């Protein structure tokens, strides 16, 4: 019997591609003392039966980088370990059969260019030349990514495992993790069928079992096993062994050459989930029964594409389980419930493509305690308590699976599992014509349909049906006053004798201002990158109220909690559901507010950047004088039970001033004009406040240490190599983000945000302009700019400051 060590620095659970890659990188890059435990034998979970297509392009630059890394690793691994990975750079063709898909590909090809990847658009004739067995009659064209390819999932995993061993990792098979010993919320030992291992950190790479392995330590890993099928055919005459892989999304199918035959699978609109209970322990190398009835829909489509398939014998059908997630992205990072369990799971049928890179970044994350790059879209902290609801996770995951190959329209919303969380104003706002979107479960008004118009989104690739209605809402905020229901904002209270000291260390800006003041601040990682962007209101000597974006609830709470030193006398409570938020914004905001409260809301008594408790409609309301739209305004934080009365009072008192409810799409347009940054797109852990133009919010001049200070000091005063800039383009240009920025015809960056500014009457984008020699004002203003939008160049103007600025007199008046 294999002996387990009694102690290991890091225990990796799961011997699929993700666990082996993580163990390999922990051992190779960090010389860590690592033990990998596998309940069966290596690859026996989902890995052995993967089809092995390896694509690289994603909509996030960082995730694309992770996938590109996988390819580089698979190319070279054999030279190191002596075990081949089966990597073949065949390239990938994606087929378009309609104009919307073609527009999607044109945008994707632009994104590829922005991320430094080669991607071409090719004609049906060219496709036929590259893939003679294909019927191309219905094609508009195809995209061609020459560096994509295919590999052998089991071979890569065995090669990674061998590499891990060569670098000192210990791999033990046929041992099951059965539980954890916990102390003060941390894992101190892993319990197994062969005994216990004391450890410092655990990495949960247990594939579809990751949910139940997490649950043993109280951790939620919201994934759902779904059945996924493909066939392998006998040899097909005329099929080249280096034939490109094919994705035919309009027919929901994919193809890859394998030993002279074809692998063909697909993503059906009616996926079949597996269990919502525990996955059986005994499932090594097992498959479900073939389900030809369910698979027939793919077969019909595939034969129309490749007629030779009709006569090809089916050698084997694979029907295996794979973990999918509610948003189609995988799950990485440190669990919010337990600071020494890391997770790498939920790979949505691209675990082979991601494996190399995911193991690389996860290993670094485990060792450093912070993500090495902006991994927000895959961060486990993008979920919240609602994701413990198995039925909700199931419904949303199946919707995401069903949309895998549908055209991705801009601004598209999910439909399943809604409404989930509503503010008490939901029915009132509906009566005003609200069309809702959802964010982390919350229903939020995106826009208000004017009387007589259809109150729903009609998706298209160009201007959508809400465009004019949002324009009117935008103008109303600039000219009069609007109310935004932002009750979904995440809110925390931080109290205790050490609260000030602790927050002053965590926040880059100065939060030691007197009681009654607000501070807009970033929270920085050790590289000086922006981990969070939020507002801190000081309501008492040791009483702070923190407000951040809806989606960042778990993440920002976790970041702060993780950086509270042991023994500090601080209490932090999430009070999101206790407080509703009404943002009253626009030049007439003061008139409306003065009409509902006896408090003095004049500029002298209640200046910008201040927070006061004021009475409205019999309730004590926390009023924060701040704006995200570039107008006079207040965020009113109202005890949730009273928000209906406060809203009604504001609407009644505001009638003479024309007050109206306004939605999130107008908010986005307003903030783009004023140049306020959005975390997760414009500002991320990859960017410092200096690069983002937020140096004014960093207390470098104060003699106080704070997280990220030394990284900023090291670069302060030196020329910046990238800077976030605003761009405008013609009114008919549709900007969505990721469009390439050209300076004097040369690529210098890409847009992180895109939209439309109704006051300016122009398209607006933000993006980092990069130059190794420095990005001075002179450099920026001396260039002439274009944006590449869906593969076409359009002229653009650069803006070093806000492109719409009513003047701080108006905001601060
Ligand atoms: C039909 C099909 C086709 C696919 N095609 C592709 C493709 O073409 N390209 C692509 O990129 N991806 C594809 N995938 C997805 C890919 O297979 C997965 O994303 C990947 O294998 C996931 O790897 P993993 O390491 O997370 O999980 P797994 O391979 O399942 O590994 C997890 C391991 O953890 C072990 N384990 C679980 N619980 C315990 C415990 N308590 N103690 C010890 N060990 C435990 C399990 O035994 C298992 O071996 C496909 C999937 C399917 C189902």
């Amino acid at each position: 019997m294999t002996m387990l060590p009694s102690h290991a620095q890091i225990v990796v659970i799961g011997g699929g591609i993700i666990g082996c890659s993580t163990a390999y990188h922990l051992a190779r890059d960090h010389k860590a003392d690592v033990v990998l435990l596998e309940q069966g034998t290596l690859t026996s979970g989902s890995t052995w039966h993967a089809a092995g297509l390896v694509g690289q392009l994603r909509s996030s630059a960082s995730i694309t980088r992770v996938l590109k890394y996988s390819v580089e690793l698979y190319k070279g691994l054999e030279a190191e370990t002596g075990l081949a990975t089966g990597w073949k750079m065949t390239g990938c063709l994606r087929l378009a059969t309609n104009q919307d898909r073609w527009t999607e590909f044109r945008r994707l090809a632009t994104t590829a260019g922005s991320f430094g990847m080669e991607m071409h658009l090719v004609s049906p004739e060219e496709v036929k030349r590259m893939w003679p067995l294909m019927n191309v009659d219905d094609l508009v064209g195809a995209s061609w990514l020459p560096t994509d390819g295919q590999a052998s999932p089991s071979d890569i995993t065995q090669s990674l495992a061998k590499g891990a061993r060569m670098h000192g990792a210990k791999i033990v098979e046929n041992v099951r993790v059965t539980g954890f010993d916990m102390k003060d919320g941390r894992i101190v030992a892993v319990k197994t069928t062969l005994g216990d291992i004391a450890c410092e950190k655990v990495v949960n790479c247990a594939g579809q079992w990751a949910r139940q392995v997490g649950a043993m330590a109280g951790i939620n890993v919201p994934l759902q096993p779904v059945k996924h099928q493909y066939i392998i055919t006998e040899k097909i005459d005329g099929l080249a062994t280096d034939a490109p892989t094919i994705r035919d999304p309009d027919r929901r199918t994919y193809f890859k050459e394998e030993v002279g035959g074809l692998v063909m699978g697909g993503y059906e609109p009616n996926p079949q989930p597996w269990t919502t209970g525990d996955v059986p322990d005994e499932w090594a190398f097992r498959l479900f029964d073939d389900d030809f009835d369910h698979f027939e829909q793919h077969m019909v489509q595939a034969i129309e594409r490749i007629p030779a398939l009709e006569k090809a014998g089916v050698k084997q059908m694979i029907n295996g389980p794979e973990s999918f997630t509610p948003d189609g992205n995988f799950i990485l990072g440190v669990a919010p419930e337990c600071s020494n369990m890391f997770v790498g799971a939920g790979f949505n049928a691209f675990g082979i493509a991601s494996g190399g890179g995911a193991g690389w970044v996860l290993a670094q994350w485990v060792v450093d305690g912070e993500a090495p790059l902006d991994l927000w879209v895959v961060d486990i902290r993008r979920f919240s308590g609602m994701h413990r609801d198995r039925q909700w996770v199931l419904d949303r995951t199946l919707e995401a699976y069903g949309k895998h190959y549908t055209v991705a329209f801009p601004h598209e919303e999910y439909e399943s599992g809604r409404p989930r969380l509503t503010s008490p104003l939901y029915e009132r706002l509906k009566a005003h014509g609200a069309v809702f979107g959802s964010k982390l479960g919350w229903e939020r008004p995106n826009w208000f349909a004017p009387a007589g118009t259809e109150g729903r989104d009609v998706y298209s690739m160009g201007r959508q049906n809400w465009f004019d209605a949002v324009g009117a809402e935008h103008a109303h905020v600039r000219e009069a006053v609007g109310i935004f229901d932002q009750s979904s904002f995440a809110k925390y209270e931080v109290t205790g004798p050490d609260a000030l000291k602790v927050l002053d260390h965590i926040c880059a800006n100065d939060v030691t201002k007197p009681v009654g003041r607000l501070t807009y601040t970033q929270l920085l990682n050790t590289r000086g990158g922006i981990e969070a962007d939020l507002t801190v209101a000081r309501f008492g000597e040791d009483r702070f109220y923190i407000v951040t974006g809806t989606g960042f609830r778990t993440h920002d709470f976790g970041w702060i909690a993780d950086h509270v030193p042991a023994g500090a006398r601080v209490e932090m409570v999430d009070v999101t559901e206790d407080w509703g938020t009404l943002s009253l914004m626009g030049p007439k905001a003061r008139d409306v507010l003065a009409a509902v409260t006896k408090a003095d809301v004049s500029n002298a008594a209640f200046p910008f950047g201040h927070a006061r408790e004021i009475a409205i409609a019999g309730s004590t309301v926390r009023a924060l004088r701040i704006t995200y739209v570039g107008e006079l305004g207040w965020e009113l934080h109202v005890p949730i039970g009273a928000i209906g009365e406060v809203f009604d009072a504001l609407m009644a008192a505001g009638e003479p001033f024309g007050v109206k409810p306004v939605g999130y799409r107008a908010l986005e347009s307003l903030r783009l004009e004023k140049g306020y940054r959005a975390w997760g797109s414009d500002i991320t852990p990859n960017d410092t406040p200096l690069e983002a133009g937020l140096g004014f919010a960093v207390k470098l001049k104060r003699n106080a240490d704070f997280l990220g200070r030394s990284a900023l000091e090291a670069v302060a005063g030196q020329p910046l190599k990238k800077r976030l800039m605003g761009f405008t383009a013609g009114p008919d240009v549709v900007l969505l983000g990721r469009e390439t920025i050209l300076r004097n015809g040369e690529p210098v960056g890409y847009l992180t945000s895109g939209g439309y500014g109704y006051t300016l009457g122009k398209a607006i984008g933000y993006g980092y302009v990069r130059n190794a020699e420095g990005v001075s004002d002179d450099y920026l203003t001396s260039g002439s700019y274009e944006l590449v939008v869906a593969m076409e160049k359009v002229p653009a103007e650069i803006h070093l400051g806000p492109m719409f600025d009513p003047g701080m007199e108006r905001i601060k008046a």
Side-chain angles (χ1 to χ4, degrees):
M1 187 190 274
T2 318
M3 288 296 287
L4 283 190
S6 60
H7 176 271
Q9 185 192 357
I10 301 166
V11 175
V12 176
I13 305 168
I17 190 165
I18 307 302
C20 290
S21 176
T22 306
Y24 169 77
H25 286 93
L26 281 167
R28 188 194 73 175
D29 298 351
H30 307 285
K31 313 287 170 252
D33 162 26
V34 51
V35 174
L36 182 149
L37 306 177
E38 164 56 47
Q39 65 182 356
T41 50
L42 296 182
T43 77
S44 63
S46 289
T47 296
W48 71 278
H49 57 59
L53 282 83
V54 175
Q56 300 166 89
L57 183 63
R58 308 289 293 181
S59 57
S60 146
S62 295
I63 303 305
T64 303
R65 200 174 141 200
V66 166
L67 270 60
K68 274 165 90 171
Y69 175 94
S70 293
V71 165
E72 289 310 312
L73 181 71
Y74 302 162
K75 267 185 205 167
L77 201 58
E78 182 178 0
E80 183 189 357
T81 66
L83 292 185
T85 60
W87 168 251
K88 264 205 294 190
M89 196 175 88
T90 55
C92 174
L93 283 167
R94 269 172 204 268
L95 312 180
T97 68
N98 58 64
Q99 283 306 327
D100 282 343
R101 182 71 72 186
W102 192 235
T103 305
E104 182 182 65
F105 284 6
R106 292 166 69 91
R107 288 183 179 151
L108 267 180
T110 303
T111 300
S114 293
F115 296 171
M117 294 197 69
E118 200 187 329
M119 183 168 179
H120 309 280
L121 297 177
V122 295
S123 66
E125 295 71 38
E126 186 70 2
V127 175
K128 186 80 186 168
R129 199 189 53 72
M130 295 164 89
W131 233 98
L133 294 180
M134 193 192 300
N135 172 14
V136 298
D137 292 351
D138 59 345
L139 293 193
V140 178
S143 71
W144 166 238
L145 220 151
T147 58
D148 276 356
Q150 60 188 65
S152 161
S154 297
D155 292 349
I156 302 172
T157 307
Q158 295 292 356
S159 192
L160 286 167
K162 181 165 180 206
R165 285 194 192 97
M166 285 163 60
H167 292 287
K170 192 167 169 61
I171 295 180
V172 187
E173 295 174 286
N174 300 308
V175 52
R176 177 168 301 128
V177 171
T178 53
F180 301 101
D181 272 343
M182 313 277 299
K183 192 162 177 257
D184 301 330
R186 286 174 66 85
I187 297 170
V188 290
V190 177
K191 293 164 158 316
T192 81
T193 44
L194 296 183
D196 295 356
I197 308 180
C199 66
E200 281 137 51
K201 294 178 183 174
V202 171
V203 196
N204 175 358
C205 299
Q208 59 179 338
W209 294 265
R211 194 199 57 77
Q212 62 217 55
V213 168
M216 294 175 195
I219 287 155
N220 184 35
V221 184
L223 51 77
Q224 171 61 44
V226 179
K227 298 176 179 176
H228 188 72
Q229 294 194 94
Y230 66 84
I231 54 163
I232 308 168
T233 73
E234 304 284 359
K235 240 172 152 341
I236 296 179
D237 286 344
L239 180 60
T241 50
D242 59 353
T245 57
I246 303 172
R247 289 184 174 81
D248 188 3
D250 297 327
R251 293 184 183 274
R252 293 176 167 276
T253 47
Y254 59 81
F255 304 83
K256 148 196 153 183
E257 183 278 338
E258 186 164 299
V259 240
L262 269 182
V263 161
M264 186 278 285
Y267 288 85
E268 58 278 19
N270 54 338
Q272 297 178 314
W274 193 25
T275 175
T276 52
D278 280 356
V279 173
D281 287 341
E282 306 300 333
W283 191 266
F285 297 111
R286 280 190 57 187
L287 294 172
F288 303 112
D289 291 342
D290 298 348
D291 187 347
F292 274 102
D293 286 347
H294 193 68
F295 195 73
E296 195 188 351
Q297 54 188 317
H298 297 314
M299 209 62 216
V300 171
Q301 294 290 339
I303 288 171
E304 285 184 27
R305 177 62 65 218
I306 301 169
L309 261 179
E310 192 165 12
K311 301 226 165 58
V314 174
K315 200 159 67 179
Q316 195 184 358
M317 179 168 229
I318 301 281
N319 186 3
E322 160 70 340
S323 332
F324 287 83
T325 64
D327 59 5
N329 265 322
F330 52 87
I331 304 175
L332 227 55
V334 59
E337 303 93 339
C338 172
S339 59
N340 67 342
M341 182 185 266
F342 293 77
V343 178
F347 276 85
N348 293 278
F350 65 108
I352 307 308
S354 320
W360 162 55
V361 290
L362 185 56
Q364 189 82 45
W365 202 333
V366 171
V367 169
D368 293 347
E370 63 184 37
L373 40 137
D374 168 28
L375 295 170
W376 168 239
V377 294
V378 297
D379 192 327
I380 191 168
R381 295 182 178 201
R382 70 190 187 276
F383 301 113
S384 68
M386 59 172 276
H387 292 95
R388 288 184 177 266
D389 178 342
R390 302 283 320 259
Q391 186 63 43
W392 191 93
V393 169
L394 170 72
D395 293 345
R396 182 56 64 85
T397 301
L398 294 188
E399 185 186 1
Y401 180 110
K403 283 183 167 163
H404 184 85
Y405 273 158
T406 58
V407 172
F409 287 108
H411 311 289
E412 201 173 339
E413 295 278 347
Y414 283 106
E415 285 169 10
S416 57
R418 295 179 55 189
R420 171 77 195 187
L421 297 168
T422 55
S423 115
L425 302 181
Y426 182 70
E427 292 300 335
R428 283 177 176 82
L429 297 174
K430 227 173 166 181
H432 281 277
V435 181
F436 292 90
S438 77
K439 187 85 174 215
L440 208 65
W442 285 87
E443 291 294 311
R444 313 189 310 172
N446 275 340
W447 59 287
F448 289 82
T453 64
E454 196 181 6
R456 71 177 183 95
D457 285 339
V458 180
Y459 298 123
S460 64
M461 281 299 186
R463 289 267 161 83
Q464 299 185 357
N465 64 321
W466 43 265
F467 184 81
D468 291 338
V470 170
E473 290 173 34
H474 171 120
H476 198 75
V477 176
R478 288 264 181 265
E479 290 155 17
V481 56
I483 297 187
F484 301 85
D485 179 8
Q486 299 194 276
S487 297
S488 61
F489 269 156
K491 310 161 201 98
Y492 325 122
E493 257 165 12
V494 181
T495 53
D498 294 330
L500 178 66
K501 198 168 80 187
V502 166
L503 286 179
D504 196 37
H505 183 66
I506 293 173
C507 298
N509 206 348
D510 184 0
V511 291
T512 63
K513 297 181 195 102
V515 173
R517 294 292 300 275
L518 286 177
T519 308
Y520 165 61
T521 185
Q522 283 78 49
L523 315 186
L524 308 182
N525 57 35
T526 54
R527 306 185 305 277
I530 303 173
E531 289 286 344
D533 175 72
L534 43 78
T535 309
V536 181
R538 190 170 186 191
F539 278 107
E541 285 303 322
D542 51 13
R543 194 159 62 92
F544 296 85
Y545 181 67
I546 297 181
V547 184
T548 187
T550 308
F552 315 138
R553 179 176 184 173
T554 312
H555 176 269
D556 291 6
F557 188 96
W559 181 266
I560 298 170
D562 286 352
H563 291 89
V564 173
R569 292 162 306 161
V570 178
E571 203 192 348
M572 184 166 163
V573 185
D574 184 325
V575 292
T576 301
E577 272 87 14
D578 298 348
W579 295 88
T581 307
L582 294 172
S583 297
L584 185 69
M585 297 285 154
K588 296 184 183 162
R590 178 173 291 116
D591 300 320
V592 178
L593 192 58
V596 294
T597 182
K598 292 203 176 74
D600 185 352
V601 294
S602 67
N603 194 47
F606 197 157
F608 187 79
H610 283 63
R612 302 259 186 276
E613 290 183 321
I614 63 174
I616 303 177
S619 293
T620 303
V621 169
R622 293 176 172 179
L624 278 50
R625 178 101 188 264
I626 193 168
T627 176
Y628 195 55
V629 300
E631 298 292 343
L632 174 69
W634 281 265
E635 262 179 28
L636 303 172
H637 292 252
V638 184
I640 196 76
I643 194 169
E645 289 97 85
V646 171
F647 177 78
D648 293 343
L650 288 165
M651 289 298 287
E655 207 185 332
F657 308 101
V659 73
K660 275 186 191 169
V662 178
Y664 271 83
R665 291 204 178 126
L667 185 77
E668 174 67 5
S669 162
L670 291 156
R671 79 96 191 165
L672 284 171
E673 285 185 341
K674 186 64 180 71
Y676 291 127
R677 276 68 171 132
W679 191 81
S681 50
D682 305 326
I683 49 178
T684 74
N686 292 347
D687 317 304
T688 68
L690 308 179
E691 295 162 340
L694 296 172
F696 67 88
V698 181
K699 57 183 176 227
L700 272 182
K701 290 204 181 99
R702 225 190 83 196
N703 185 21
D705 194 20
F706 59 91
L707 283 173
R709 178 174 187 123
S710 48
L712 293 190
E713 269 176 345
V715 294
Q718 293 174 26
L720 291 166
K721 296 194 169 68
K722 65 174 197 187
R723 272 172 72 185
L724 188 69
M725 288 292 124
F727 295 88
T728 47
D732 296 328
V733 175
V734 176
L735 296 180
L736 299 168
R738 297 178 288 280
E739 293 83 0
T740 314
I741 305 167
L742 302 178
R743 179 183 178 276
N744 299 338
E746 292 299 318
V748 287
Y750 57 88
L751 298 188
T752 49
S753 277
Y756 185 80
Y758 291 89
T759 307
L760 296 181
K762 288 180 181 168
I764 299 179
Y766 287 86
Y768 288 90
V769 173
R770 291 155 210 268
N771 181 31
E773 275 78 53
V775 194
S776 64
D777 285 3
D778 272 357
Y779 172 85
L780 291 165
T781 50
S782 64
S784 90
Y785 292 89
E786 291 163 298
L787 298 174
V788 184
V789 182
M791 298 297 272
E792 280 182 15
K793 291 180 194 170
V794 300
E797 212 182 307
I798 192 165
H799 299 260
L800 268 60
M803 43 195 80
F804 171 80
D805 199 350
M808 281 318 265
E809 318 76 67
R810 191 155 130 192
I811 297 171
K812 293 191 169 175

